[in-house]
Amino acid sequence: MNALLLGRSAAATAARKTRLLPVGRRFLASEVNTKGDEAKKSERSKEFASKLKGGPGFGDFISGGVSDVLTTGELIEKANRVVPGTARLPRWLKTDIPMGGNVTRIRKTLRDLKLHTVCEEARCPNMSECWGGGKHGTATATIMIMGDTCTRGCRFCSVKTSKAPAALDPREPENVARALAAWGLDYIVLTSVDRDDLADFGSAHFAQTVHRIREMAPHMMIECLTPDFQGQPELIEPVALSGLDVYAHNIETVEALQRMVRDHRANYRQSMFVLEHVKKTKPTLLTKSSIMLGVGETDAEVLQTMKDLRSAGVDIVTLGQYMRPTKRHMKVHEYVTPEKFAHWEAVGNELGFLYTASGPLVRSSYKAGEFFIKEILQKRSAAASASASSVSALATGAKDQLKGMRDIAASIATEERKKVDSSS
């Protein structure tokens, strides 16, 4: 029995060795034939060397003569040429990092009261100038209400998006009013995310916030940069009549590029209707809109947009350079030059806008523009007081008022151009 088992065991062992032997030999280093591979590599190296020897020489790369060499001017022009989506930031768009006592104080208050600013959310390049007061001493900030998450997804905007943002904070109107009263700002811009998830899209919350600010800081100038409220008149009117000084709503870009740039729920005609309806609701209210340049628009389209805004009764227009917030957002098509912005400023004045702020770093909530608007509002108030004593005095005052406004606008434009020149 034992012999039989031993015999079977020996036979099984021999069979296993027979099955594994070819596989084992395949992986032995001694069995690998490397001579053939080395010979092939040597042949390829010789072939590559012979190709290099018979390939193009230095003369082939400079053929064509001296006439093809670029001049210094041509080299500079080529270096400054913009390649869509890949261009480096031009010198005139470089700004200082936001810092200073006022910036730190405002930031701390925002965190303590759980408030948001579009200055930070949208990564605005003018934050240091606006929060710090700047040359004119008109300290401004743009508070973003109704949370920091938007229900829309515009391709240029860096604000977070969601179909179901957090519920509105009922204490927000009180907190915003208390913060602004403590800061002692001269001019405040209230804006908000879009809230298509709410029945009234946030209209009542917006109006309530303005009411509370008016109660706690009666002398503060208030501008509201609003959503479109899906073009519903009954939702536009409460904000227009809430006690604000300036009603702003941005057209953002020319009509042909709306679907590419903005969320599908926003559109050119709807935004124009909002601005028109505000003017009908309260004719004395200043209205304002903004256009981004550098997203692929043509000059003819920009001109038509400005004409449409003026036809809608818009008083103030701002034009600024689109700057890509992150690589996830749409690319910059072109960096528009300061000279072109100066051209659009002149066009705006010719079309009859009360004020045109046009420059690479101009944003819809722009420091110099807010200073100018403050001057307009104060002079309007003075003219209204004068009308109680004399109608003729009011007419004279109106002419002086307009001349003064134009002088201020020219002064601000000159300062902005000097700023761009000094940075070059």
Side-chain angles (χ1 to χ4, degrees), residues 70 74-84 86-88 335:
L70 296 178
E74 289 171 332
L75 286 169
I76 293 171
E77 183 184 352
K78 189 173 182 180
N80 289 333
R81 193 174 299 154
V82 174
V83 179
T86 60
R88 295 178 64 184
Y335 285 121

Side-chain angles (χ1 to χ4, degrees), residues 405-418:
M405 290 173 184
R406 295 296 185 197
D407 290 344
I408 295 169
S411 172
I412 292 170
T414 302
E415 289 169 17
E416 292 307 309
R417 279 193 283 273
K418 285 180 181 176

Side-chain angles (χ1 to χ4, degrees), residues 244-256:
L244 72 169
D245 298 291
V246 181
Y247 194 113
H249 175 67
N250 290 341
I251 199 71
E252 304 295 6
T253 187
V254 300
E255 188 169 13

Side-chain angles (χ1 to χ4, degrees), residues 222-243:
I222 304 173
E223 175 182 325
C224 289
L225 175 58
T226 75
D228 56 28
F229 300 118
Q230 295 196 9
Q232 297 187 24
E234 67 275 14
L235 302 179
I236 299 167
E237 291 161 11
V239 181
L241 300 173
S242 62

Side-chain angles (χ1 to χ4, degrees), residues 136-139 186-187 221 246 286 368-380:
H136 299 292
T138 307
D186 304 291
Y187 194 104
M221 308 290 181
V246 181
L286 287 176
E370 286 156 14
F371 165 75
F372 179 63
I373 294 166
K374 179 188 171 188
E375 293 292 310
I376 294 173
L377 294 170
Q378 288 177 342
K379 289 184 178 184
R380 269 192 174 185

Side-chain angles (χ1 to χ4, degrees), residues 189 223 225 248 250 288-290 318 362-366 370:
V189 180
E223 175 182 325
L225 175 58
N250 290 341
K288 176 180 173 184
S289 195
S290 182
T318 65
V362 167
R363 293 295 177 266
S364 57
S365 306
Y366 181 58
E370 286 156 14

